[in-house]
Amino acid sequence: MATSKKDLSFSVVNTGTAAETAIVLDGTGLRGIVAIDHNGSNNVTLCGSVDGTNYFVIETFTADTIKEITLCPYFKVNGAADTTMNDTIGSSTCTIFTNEALTRTPSGR
């Protein structure tokens, strides 16, 4: 499988149940930027997983935020500060940007 370096931007969205985006990365410790557009009273909790099954809280955002993060293969968002994935983030958004070597393009899962 060929490796290419390209810009990647994807939104992690949630409408009451979790939505996930999987990215296949070459190596570990790759960096990205997360941009949170916090709208209303719903917080955004970004969760990550290395296997797509077991999720852990990365951070809960209570305001508009841009920050650098270490990328993991799977991300989900939740409206509560836990990994239940059953709380809405309302009209808030979470977008992750990177320019890293990828083995393939993102795929919804």
Side-chain angles (χ1 to χ4, degrees), residues 10-15 17-23 46-55 73-77 85 96 106-109:
F10 60 91
S11 294
V12 183
V13 297
N14 168 311
T15 56
T17 57
E20 64 183 311
T21 301
I23 56 177
L46 181 64
C47 301
S49 173
V50 296
D51 61 11
T53 301
N54 300 300
Y55 282 82
Y74 300 89
F75 291 98
K76 288 186 178 183
V77 290
M85 303 306 165
I96 298 173
S107 61
R109 179 177 170 140

Side-chain angles (χ1 to χ4, degrees), residues 7-101:
D7 291 326
L8 172 65
S9 168
F10 60 91
S11 294
V12 183
V13 297
N14 168 311
T15 56
T17 57
E20 64 183 311
T21 301
I23 56 177
V24 180
L25 303 169
D26 288 341
T28 60
L30 301 176
R31 309 298 286 175
I33 301 294
V34 62
I36 303 295
D37 183 7
H38 187 273
N39 297 313
S41 60
N42 297 74
N43 292 332
V44 177
T45 297
L46 181 64
C47 301
S49 173
V50 296
D51 61 11
T53 301
N54 300 300
Y55 282 82
F56 302 91
V57 171
I58 295 172
E59 187 167 346
T60 298
F61 300 94
T62 60
D64 292 348
T65 306
I66 293 179
K67 77 179 298 179
E68 185 179 41
I69 61 169
T70 300
L71 299 175
C72 58
Y74 300 89
F75 291 98
K76 288 186 178 183
V77 290
N78 193 36
D82 58 37
T83 59
T84 59
M85 303 306 165
N86 59 1
D87 297 285
T88 182
I89 64 170
S91 61
S92 295
T93 61
C94 173
T95 306
I96 298 173
F97 304 90
T98 187
N99 184 318
E100 300 290 356

